[in-house]
Amino acid sequence: MSESQRLDTRLHDRKFVRTFFTSPTAVEGEEDSAKMLRSASTLRGMQAPDVWVPDNEDATAPSMRDEGVENIIEVVAENGASFPGEIHPRVVWHRDSPSTRNAGFEQMLRIADPDADAVEHIDGFVIPEVGGIDDWKKADEFITIIEDEHGLASGSLAMSVIIESGAAELAMGELRSEMGKPTNNLERLFLLVDGEVDYTKDMRAMTPTGELPPWPELRHNTSRAASAAGCIAVDGPYDDIRDEAGYNERIEANQAKGMLGIWSLTPGQVVAANKNPLPPERGEWLVTVGENAESLTERDGVQHYDGDALELTETSDGYELTVNGDSQLLDEDELTDNLLDLTAYVPSLNDIVDSMEQFEAARDAGTGAIAMERSATVVIDDVAVDLSAERMWDEATYQAAMTPVRLFQDVYANRPDQHDALVEQYGADVVKRATDVGN
Amino acid sequence: MSESQRLDTRLHDRKFVRTFFTSPTAVEGEEDSAKMLRSASTLRGMQAPDVWVPDNEDATAPSMRDEGVENIIEVVAENGASFPGEIHPRVVWHRDSPSTRNAGFEQMLRIADPDADAVEHIDGFVIPEVGGIDDWKKADEFITIIEDEHGLASGSLAMSVIIESGAAELAMGELRSEMGKPTNNLERLFLLVDGEVDYTKDMRAMTPTGELPPWPELRHNTSRAASAAGCIAVDGPYDDIRDEAGYNERIEANQAKGMLGIWSLTPGQVVAANKNPLPPERGEWLVTVGENAESLTERDGVQHYDGDALELTETSDGYELTVNGDSQLLDEDELTDNLLDLTAYVPSLNDIVDSMEQFEAARDAGTGAIAMERSATVVIDDVAVDLSAERMWDEATYQAAMTPVRLFQDVYANRPDQHDALVEQYGADVVKRATDVGN
Amino acid sequence: MSESQRLDTRLHDRKFVRTFFTSPTAVEGEEDSAKMLRSASTLRGMQAPDVWVPDNEDATAPSMRDEGVENIIEVVAENGASFPGEIHPRVVWHRDSPSTRNAGFEQMLRIADPDADAVEHIDGFVIPEVGGIDDWKKADEFITIIEDEHGLASGSLAMSVIIESGAAELAMGELRSEMGKPTNNLERLFLLVDGEVDYTKDMRAMTPTGELPPWPELRHNTSRAASAAGCIAVDGPYDDIRDEAGYNERIEANQAKGMLGIWSLTPGQVVAANKNPLPPERGEWLVTVGENAESLTERDGVQHYDGDALELTETSDGYELTVNGDSQLLDEDELTDNLLDLTAYVPSLNDIVDSMEQFEAARDAGTGAIAMERSATVVIDDVAVDLSAERMWDEATYQAAMTPVRLFQDVYANRPDQHDALVEQYGADVVKRATDVGN
């Protein structure tokens, strides 16, 4: 068995998770303290998260946590069967508090009691505030005991952790060598979730406005651990829930780090986080000058540049291209080279599937590498220029291009309730080809 | 005992260090080669560092190091009792040189000799140029022997290290699991100090101008290790001693990484590094456009924007907001939303204490989360706009907001010589409330 | 023996590698499938790489790999003796595939067969797609068996690895403690090469355009591991082979991380990557405003600023300096301070050698630190200003400044075929002094 296969056999069915949605468990003083839970349990389609986390920790007042456990049991027993995503309640835990850890054990023991009729819809538990690897093992051991106590299959309950300390960040580097030891069942690990608010506190970091630091190294290390140990990396909450543009920017920055999932605090954030990682339904050309990228607009089959950063005029013997005020006289080849440097194409799902199918056909015919061409006529200030760029695809390019398609296939296989939205967005034909390609 | 408590019991009293001030030990050729040492030993208040490092390594010529040891003994015996910060001499050490390590052992043995009357004022030693964790253990073992030999309490001498090699950077990841083993006393570890000049050499890094690389990952890893192992992270020297603005920028960037201390080379840098991490005495509104942040100016209770990046005019049915030349027509709600995105508030110490007190009161009354409001009237081009932003505070927000207050409290408890400066800066009332809150 | 010496004795002679040039092994359908190999084997001088990697993995179609092995043997047996760089063929390997690993073993066994007459010119093998440290040991063990089987000296074949997985990135952190164990020969490790295409796939990272993420943390960790374990860090391929400016920018960014080598895909990239890390033959002054750096132009012994970001006029009682549109009135000292902040000097090889010689002379005369002065007359808008900056050099500065010189000396010692190019670039006198200094 290969390394990956060995990790895979110990792993959860899902390979990708886009949305990690925590909703409050119990709101004190409301007539029905399970109201928000009940509401979350009825989400469907793009409104429903891949993983739903009824939150009996920070979102529930300490005095309400017993009631929170009963609310989770009640709502999950009632609506869990029809909920389209997975359900992983968050219980209390703290590396520095044995009494909190014991309370977490009792919460899990109660929620997983088969007589309460919830556990058959529960996929696992989320453990916050873990410390070093030995602290992770304590939570794992409690879940092992719970499985045994309640007659559940060993390893059937997943364990996800929230990384909110330097110690936990370091522990992620040890996972691969700790998993598989006969004295633990850490193979149950599912999500590695960054929790930047408490992490910032633990690291004693400060910013003048109280805004969270970006923590790029933490996110890299989480993504790397997920890769090395067969888990899934998920970024923490984005506090400014009004700022959808900022949320999408964070998601894109995360994707470049291999972190394809993000915490959602509201159903609106769930929708954004479900849609963002999927390739666009229409490709587009970008012009990037400095740090600003602008989309070209297709009209009559040609790509029009409507921005201010580029100016182009024909001269008697060539072209004058002005980029942010700096002008150059260029011949046709130089112009083309310059514009190729400034432009890039964002492929649609259809484009990606096309390229993959082309490569597969070539490979089946015995060719190891083929050139993929992208061409467009770009119009700047009424001057039309034909651009054409080739990229060599070999097996490695093909494999790397497959990540968004594998994500799409994972979503399609696990979220039937999103099929209609996918067909509406991409068309039935592209959806079919995208689910077939590469298999 | 919890993880943190266990680490805490093994630890130094101070939880924060702002200033790590190295001063030359011996200057060759001067009549009184202890002159600079003597001068450093008389610093007080904001001029005095939290940790003072009489430097018998790089700042002392090799031929002067025996004399350096005697100078340290003489000055510390004489002035150590009244010095307001801690005293941690730096001795020689090198992972690649047994003779240098032995010389470091002999220097420490001599300085810590009770007959020399200095050790009662010595808090520990700084070991430069450490390698892998086994090399750290060699230094720890020497200090253990010195404590035994001289009848000092075990663990009474702290050990700080300078991270100047890739091997030492990696060793920081192992600290947590090595500390507490019966064969070492690494619990004496106090400061983890980055030494970027020698680190750059060890990493074989180059820049065209010879300027030091920024090494963001090293600083993250140092901060993380400090968090995981109960130590304190300190950044290295800032070479350009004329550039106070640059020094302050580096300190702020470090704070966002959880690195609250920095090396100072001059008494002027000590003052800057003592003051910078403390919250400001007056809050202020910032407008951030692109990478530029500008402070608003309060006049008559409203916040005036005097910069060039924003323009605002009222139109017949709304507003025209121009940001760096891009104009938008907006209604009142849209205007408010846009301005909220562009503005941020930097809270004063008083503001932070206020918020913490409000949260504590709500929590004591049984509420787990409350909304904190910040509002202001902002005037741009004579158009006044009322802004109001709410932020939800829960236990995690409260804990994260406490970092600057814990720093303040640590300073207040450990640096009586700075009480007057703090009262002068913040007022006696704020100082009292800031030392009381959260306890 | 010191740590460094112990690592050094186990190590390869080269301490620096600039160019890691992979060339296809076998192109299907060509009459002479060894044509590209043969062509690469005849490269000389700046056109020839420090390490040449005949690539029997990704650049060779799976069906052609047996023929690829025979081509390598034929070309290396014929031209290996006169090839000026080292030769390290890349064979197939995959952490997840025992059959691929066995194929890699067989390829190495065949290439290293003394009867094939190639192995005397083979310096080692490149192993792609390694996983955790135990996977590295499997490759090491095969090479150990091959050395034994073929009667080659133990440790005579180097092993380089390509880091293309999170697991391999983590393994780099363990190298130092695994090397030297009696059950492996990991001291044979030579290059740690980042392979960003497959790494991106393994990390499941995505960018909208399919462009590779920059992976700064991976590059830091590779450089750190090289430092800690006595290896050499090399960055991966730069796909856009038309973009020479981008390739040079990447090389400079890598150098600031301690990664002095880079993969080359074309002979043109080899030339750029051979030349870039060496200090320039002429020093120059830079003016940096915001993110833009512009070189000053020397005319008649003074440095002329010809850019647009700075304006300078004399006023009745001082100067008006305008930086990107912001004006300040300054007296002469303030002007000098401002311009010192905006300017920097890029030293030539000659400058660096000069400074080192000065420091050595001072050190031999018993002085531990000396001030190095740089001065220039800078002309902005016809106003001439004299600038003079001092920098203190101590042993640490001297050691750090030596990195480019050590690189130069390593090149000079190992690449006689580049002596003519170096003498032509720098002049015979500078070359002689640069090879003598510091020894």
Side-chain angles (χ1 to χ4, degrees):
Chain A
M1 225 175 351
S2 76
E3 286 195 7
S4 289
Q5 283 168 330
R6 290 177 53 95
L7 285 170
D8 281 358
T9 58
R10 295 191 237 125
L11 269 187
H12 208 266
D13 177 48
R14 294 215 69 160
K15 298 287 170 287
F16 294 89
V17 160
R18 296 161 297 173
T19 40
F20 177 86
F21 173 51
T22 55
S23 67
T25 307
V27 177
E28 198 176 29
E30 292 219 29
E31 206 169 322
D32 173 8
S33 68
K35 191 176 158 191
M36 291 192 74
L37 266 192
R38 219 176 295 279
S39 158
S41 72
T42 63
L43 296 171
R44 296 293 180 273
M46 286 297 174
Q47 277 72 40
D50 289 344
V51 169
W52 170 40
V53 181
D55 182 8
N56 208 40
E57 192 218 16
D58 278 357
T60 302
S63 60
M64 295 292 285
R65 286 186 183 144
D66 288 343
E67 190 172 329
V69 165
E70 298 311 317
N71 286 346
I72 290 171
I73 288 172
E74 182 191 321
V75 171
V76 171
E78 194 181 318
N79 296 341
S82 59
F83 185 76
E86 301 199 353
I87 305 177
H88 298 249
R90 173 157 81 162
V91 297
V92 297
W93 190 267
H94 205 291
R95 59 193 174 282
D96 288 338
S97 165
S99 66
T100 306
R101 295 196 294 271
N102 192 44
F105 176 39
E106 287 172 359
Q107 290 177 8
M108 292 191 285
L109 193 61
R110 170 74 187 123
I111 292 171
D113 185 343
D115 294 340
D117 292 328
V119 70
E120 58 189 299
H121 313 305
I122 298 280
D123 299 278
F125 290 102
V126 175
I127 313 293
E129 294 287 4
V130 286
I133 191 72
D134 286 348
D135 190 56
W136 301 38
K137 292 179 187 169
K138 297 172 189 172
D140 164 52
E141 169 66 359
F142 283 149
I143 299 177
T144 298
I145 289 173
I146 288 166
E147 287 170 340
D148 180 68
E149 198 72 15
H150 289 325
L152 304 168
S154 172
S156 59
L157 289 170
M159 170 174 147
S160 299
V161 293
I162 317 228
I163 308 299
E164 332 192 45
S165 62
E169 186 185 350
L170 283 165
M172 292 194 292
E174 297 174 68
L175 275 188
R176 190 186 168 81
S177 49
E178 293 290 341
M179 272 180 164
K181 285 188 176 171
T183 44
N184 71 54
N185 292 296
L186 286 173
E187 301 90 331
R188 69 171 81 252
L189 276 168
F190 176 38
L191 304 179
L192 305 174
V193 185
D194 288 343
E196 279 95 349
V197 175
D198 281 314
Y199 180 82
T200 298
K201 178 191 68 176
D202 182 76
M203 293 284 279
R204 295 183 172 173
M206 309 190 297
T207 60
T209 60
E211 201 185 13
L212 292 173
W215 299 120
E217 296 90 357
L218 169 67
R219 291 185 282 152
H220 176 77
N221 292 338
T222 304
S223 188
R224 177 179 65 177
S227 158
C231 298
I232 296 173
V234 174
D235 192 24
Y238 190 83
D239 266 3
D240 189 350
I241 57 179
R242 293 177 318 107
D243 180 14
E244 198 177 332
Y247 191 60
N248 276 296
E249 280 168 27
R250 177 75 170 200
I251 293 174
E252 277 170 41
N254 284 340
Q255 284 165 4
K257 289 177 157 294
M259 188 173 241
L260 301 186
I262 191 168
W263 197 308
S264 300
L265 293 167
T266 66
Q269 285 192 337
V270 171
V271 175
N274 272 339
K275 288 187 170 172
N276 186 304
L278 298 173
E281 59 271 29
R282 299 175 66 85
E284 65 175 3
W285 285 87
L286 295 180
V287 165
T288 305
V289 176
E291 297 194 353
N292 292 319
E294 288 186 80
S295 304
L296 301 188
T297 312
E298 184 172 336
R299 288 194 295 270
D300 307 325
V302 299
Q303 302 289 335
H304 289 266
Y305 177 75
D306 300 324
D308 299 325
L310 297 188
E311 293 165 49
L312 181 63
T313 50
E314 283 195 77
T315 62
S316 54
D317 58 347
Y319 297 89
E320 179 171 0
L321 176 67
T322 307
V323 181
N324 265 350
D326 287 337
S327 296
Q328 290 172 280
L329 292 174
L330 305 168
D331 66 25
E332 188 162 352
D333 283 353
E334 292 165 340
L335 176 66
T336 305
D337 273 359
N338 269 273
L339 291 178
L340 282 174
D341 281 348
L342 294 167
T343 53
Y345 184 72
V346 176
S348 66
L349 178 59
N350 187 38
D351 292 327
I352 298 172
V353 172
D354 267 354
S355 299
M356 292 177 62
E357 289 172 347
Q358 277 182 52
F359 179 81
E360 289 177 358
R363 190 180 53 186
D364 293 349
T367 305
I370 61 170
M372 297 285 180
E373 195 191 329
R374 292 263 174 247
S375 59
T377 302
V378 172
V379 177
I380 304 169
D381 296 340
D382 295 328
V383 181
V385 188
D386 289 326
L387 297 183
S388 173
E390 275 189 358
R391 190 178 171 196
M392 288 306 296
W393 272 52
D394 63 10
E395 184 68 27
T397 331
Y398 169 79
Q399 293 287 345
M402 207 185 287
T403 300
V405 172
R406 288 280 180 236
L407 166 64
F408 183 91
Q409 293 174 344
D410 185 88
V411 169
Y412 196 85
N414 288 286
R415 296 296 305 274
D417 62 309
Q418 294 188 349
H419 287 187
D420 289 352
L422 294 175
V423 166
E424 194 179 324
Q425 183 178 358
Y426 296 105
D429 172 58
V430 173
V431 167
K432 166 122 188 45
R433 287 167 53 225
T435 48
D436 289 347
V437 79
N439 293 313
Chain B
M1 227 177 346
S2 74
E3 286 196 6
S4 289
Q5 284 166 330
R6 289 177 54 94
L7 285 171
D8 281 357
T9 58
R10 294 192 238 125
L11 268 187
H12 207 263
D13 177 48
R14 295 216 68 162
K15 298 287 171 288
F16 294 89
V17 160
R18 296 162 298 172
T19 39
F20 177 86
F21 173 53
T22 55
S23 67
T25 305
V27 177
E28 197 177 31
E30 294 219 30
E31 205 168 321
D32 173 7
S33 68
K35 189 175 161 192
M36 293 191 74
L37 266 192
R38 218 175 297 276
S39 159
S41 71
T42 63
L43 297 172
R44 297 292 180 271
M46 286 297 173
Q47 277 71 42
D50 289 343
V51 169
W52 170 41
V53 182
D55 182 8
N56 207 39
E57 192 218 16
D58 278 358
T60 300
S63 59
M64 296 291 286
R65 287 184 183 143
D66 288 343
E67 189 173 332
V69 165
E70 299 311 317
N71 286 345
I72 290 172
I73 288 173
E74 182 191 321
V75 172
V76 171
E78 192 181 319
N79 295 341
S82 58
F83 186 75
E86 301 198 351
I87 305 177
H88 297 249
R90 174 157 80 163
V91 297
V92 297
W93 190 268
H94 205 290
R95 59 194 174 281
D96 289 339
S97 165
S99 66
T100 306
R101 294 195 296 271
N102 191 45
F105 176 39
E106 288 172 359
Q107 291 176 9
M108 293 190 284
L109 193 62
R110 170 74 186 124
I111 293 171
D113 185 342
D115 294 340
D117 292 326
V119 70
E120 58 189 301
H121 313 303
I122 298 280
D123 299 278
F125 290 102
V126 175
I127 312 292
E129 294 287 3
V130 287
I133 191 73
D134 286 348
D135 189 55
W136 301 37
K137 292 178 188 169
K138 297 172 190 171
D140 164 52
E141 169 67 359
F142 283 148
I143 299 177
T144 297
I145 288 174
I146 288 165
E147 287 169 341
D148 180 68
E149 197 73 13
H150 288 326
L152 304 169
S154 173
S156 59
L157 289 170
M159 170 173 146
S160 299
V161 293
I162 316 225
I163 308 299
E164 330 191 46
S165 63
E169 186 185 351
L170 284 164
M172 293 194 291
E174 296 172 69
L175 275 188
R176 191 186 167 80
S177 49
E178 293 289 341
M179 270 179 167
K181 286 189 177 172
T183 44
N184 69 55
N185 292 296
L186 285 173
E187 302 90 331
R188 70 170 80 253
L189 275 169
F190 176 37
L191 304 178
L192 305 173
V193 185
D194 288 343
E196 279 95 349
V197 175
D198 280 315
Y199 180 82
T200 298
K201 176 190 70 175
D202 183 75
M203 293 284 278
R204 296 183 171 172
M206 309 190 297
T207 60
T209 60
E211 202 184 13
L212 292 174
W215 298 119
E217 296 89 358
L218 168 67
R219 290 185 283 151
H220 176 77
N221 293 340
T222 304
S223 188
R224 178 179 67 177
S227 158
C231 298
I232 297 174
V234 174
D235 193 23
Y238 190 82
D239 265 1
D240 188 350
I241 56 178
R242 294 178 315 108
D243 180 14
E244 198 178 332
Y247 190 59
N248 277 295
E249 280 169 28
R250 177 72 169 202
I251 292 175
E252 278 171 39
N254 284 340
Q255 284 166 5
K257 289 178 156 292
M259 189 172 241
L260 302 186
I262 191 168
W263 198 309
S264 300
L265 293 167
T266 66
Q269 286 191 337
V270 171
V271 175
N274 273 339
K275 289 188 170 171
N276 186 304
L278 298 173
E281 59 270 29
R282 300 175 65 86
E284 67 175 1
W285 286 86
L286 295 180
V287 166
T288 305
V289 176
E291 297 194 355
N292 293 319
E294 288 186 80
S295 305
L296 301 188
T297 312
E298 186 172 333
R299 290 195 293 271
D300 306 325
V302 299
Q303 301 288 335
H304 290 266
Y305 176 76
D306 300 322
D308 300 325
L310 297 187
E311 294 166 48
L312 181 62
T313 50
E314 283 196 78
T315 63
S316 55
D317 58 347
Y319 297 89
E320 179 170 2
L321 176 67
T322 306
V323 182
N324 263 352
D326 286 338
S327 297
Q328 289 174 282
L329 292 173
L330 305 168
D331 67 23
E332 188 162 351
D333 284 354
E334 293 166 340
L335 176 66
T336 306
D337 274 0
N338 269 273
L339 291 179
L340 282 173
D341 281 349
L342 295 168
T343 52
Y345 184 71
V346 177
S348 66
L349 178 58
N350 187 39
D351 292 328
I352 298 172
V353 172
D354 267 353
S355 299
M356 291 177 62
E357 288 173 347
Q358 278 184 52
F359 179 81
E360 288 177 359
R363 189 181 53 185
D364 291 349
T367 305
I370 61 169
M372 298 286 179
E373 197 192 328
R374 291 262 175 246
S375 60
T377 302
V378 172
V379 177
I380 304 170
D381 295 341
D382 295 327
V383 181
V385 188
D386 289 326
L387 296 184
S388 173
E390 277 188 358
R391 189 176 173 198
M392 289 305 295
W393 272 52
D394 63 9
E395 184 68 26
T397 331
Y398 169 78
Q399 294 287 345
M402 206 184 287
T403 301
V405 173
R406 288 279 181 239
L407 166 65
F408 183 90
Q409 295 174 344
D410 185 89
V411 168
Y412 197 84
N414 288 286
R415 296 295 306 273
D417 62 311
Q418 295 188 348
H419 287 187
D420 288 352
L422 295 175
V423 167
E424 193 178 327
Q425 183 179 0
Y426 295 106
D429 173 58
V430 173
V431 167
K432 164 118 189 50
R433 288 166 54 224
T435 49
D436 288 347
V437 78
N439 292 313
Chain C
M1 227 175 351
S2 75
E3 285 196 6
S4 289
Q5 284 167 329
R6 288 177 55 92
L7 285 170
D8 281 0
T9 58
R10 294 192 236 124
L11 269 186
H12 207 267
D13 176 49
R14 295 215 68 161
K15 298 289 170 287
F16 294 89
V17 159
R18 297 162 297 172
T19 39
F20 177 86
F21 173 52
T22 56
S23 67
T25 305
V27 178
E28 197 177 29
E30 292 219 31
E31 206 168 318
D32 173 9
S33 68
K35 189 176 161 191
M36 292 192 74
L37 268 192
R38 218 176 296 277
S39 157
S41 71
T42 62
L43 296 172
R44 295 293 180 272
M46 288 295 174
Q47 277 72 41
D50 289 343
V51 170
W52 169 42
V53 182
D55 181 8
N56 207 39
E57 192 217 15
D58 279 357
T60 302
S63 60
M64 295 293 286
R65 287 184 182 144
D66 288 343
E67 190 172 330
V69 165
E70 299 310 318
N71 286 345
I72 289 171
I73 288 172
E74 182 191 321
V75 171
V76 172
E78 192 181 319
N79 296 341
S82 58
F83 186 75
E86 300 199 351
I87 305 176
H88 296 250
R90 173 156 83 163
V91 297
V92 298
W93 189 268
H94 205 289
R95 60 194 173 280
D96 289 338
S97 166
S99 66
T100 306
R101 294 196 295 271
N102 191 45
F105 176 39
E106 288 172 359
Q107 291 176 10
M108 291 190 284
L109 193 61
R110 170 74 187 122
I111 292 171
D113 186 342
D115 294 341
D117 292 328
V119 70
E120 58 189 300
H121 313 304
I122 298 280
D123 299 278
F125 290 102
V126 176
I127 312 292
E129 294 287 4
V130 287
I133 191 72
D134 286 348
D135 190 54
W136 301 37
K137 292 178 187 169
K138 297 172 189 172
D140 164 52
E141 169 68 357
F142 283 149
I143 300 177
T144 298
I145 289 174
I146 287 165
E147 287 170 340
D148 179 69
E149 197 71 16
H150 288 326
L152 304 168
S154 174
S156 59
L157 289 171
M159 171 173 147
S160 299
V161 293
I162 316 227
I163 308 298
E164 332 192 44
S165 63
E169 186 185 350
L170 284 166
M172 290 193 294
E174 298 174 66
L175 275 189
R176 190 185 168 80
S177 49
E178 292 289 341
M179 269 180 167
K181 285 189 177 173
T183 44
N184 70 55
N185 291 296
L186 285 173
E187 300 91 332
R188 69 170 82 251
L189 275 169
F190 175 39
L191 304 177
L192 305 174
V193 185
D194 288 344
E196 280 95 349
V197 175
D198 280 314
Y199 180 82
T200 298
K201 176 190 71 176
D202 183 76
M203 293 284 279
R204 293 181 173 175
M206 307 190 299
T207 60
T209 59
E211 201 183 13
L212 291 174
W215 299 118
E217 296 91 358
L218 168 67
R219 289 184 285 151
H220 176 76
N221 293 339
T222 304
S223 188
R224 178 179 64 177
S227 158
C231 298
I232 296 173
V234 174
D235 192 24
Y238 190 83
D239 264 2
D240 190 348
I241 56 178
R242 293 179 316 107
D243 180 13
E244 197 179 333
Y247 190 60
N248 277 295
E249 279 169 27
R250 176 74 170 202
I251 292 175
E252 277 171 40
N254 284 341
Q255 284 166 3
K257 290 177 156 292
M259 188 173 239
L260 302 186
I262 192 169
W263 198 308
S264 301
L265 293 167
T266 66
Q269 286 192 337
V270 171
V271 174
N274 273 340
K275 289 187 171 172
N276 187 303
L278 298 173
E281 59 271 28
R282 299 175 66 85
E284 65 175 1
W285 286 86
L286 294 180
V287 166
T288 306
V289 177
E291 297 195 353
N292 291 320
E294 288 185 82
S295 304
L296 301 187
T297 312
E298 186 175 333
R299 288 195 296 271
D300 306 325
V302 298
Q303 301 289 334
H304 290 266
Y305 176 74
D306 300 322
D308 299 326
L310 296 187
E311 293 165 49
L312 181 62
T313 50
E314 283 195 77
T315 63
S316 54
D317 59 346
Y319 297 89
E320 179 171 1
L321 175 67
T322 306
V323 181
N324 264 351
D326 288 339
S327 296
Q328 289 173 281
L329 292 174
L330 304 168
D331 66 23
E332 187 161 352
D333 282 354
E334 293 167 339
L335 176 66
T336 306
D337 273 0
N338 269 273
L339 291 179
L340 282 174
D341 280 349
L342 294 168
T343 52
Y345 184 71
V346 177
S348 65
L349 178 58
N350 187 38
D351 293 326
I352 299 172
V353 172
D354 267 352
S355 300
M356 291 176 62
E357 288 173 347
Q358 277 183 51
F359 179 81
E360 289 177 358
R363 190 181 53 186
D364 292 349
T367 305
I370 60 170
M372 297 284 180
E373 196 191 329
R374 291 261 174 248
S375 59
T377 302
V378 171
V379 178
I380 305 171
D381 296 341
D382 294 328
V383 181
V385 188
D386 288 327
L387 297 182
S388 173
E390 276 189 358
R391 190 179 172 196
M392 288 305 295
W393 271 52
D394 63 8
E395 183 69 26
T397 331
Y398 169 78
Q399 293 288 343
M402 208 185 287
T403 301
V405 173
R406 288 279 181 240
L407 167 65
F408 183 90
Q409 294 174 344
D410 186 88
V411 168
Y412 196 85
N414 288 286
R415 296 295 305 274
D417 62 311
Q418 295 187 351
H419 286 187
D420 289 351
L422 295 175
V423 166
E424 193 178 329
Q425 185 179 357
Y426 296 105
D429 173 59
V430 173
V431 167
K432 166 117 189 47
R433 287 167 53 223
T435 48
D436 288 346
V437 79
N439 292 315

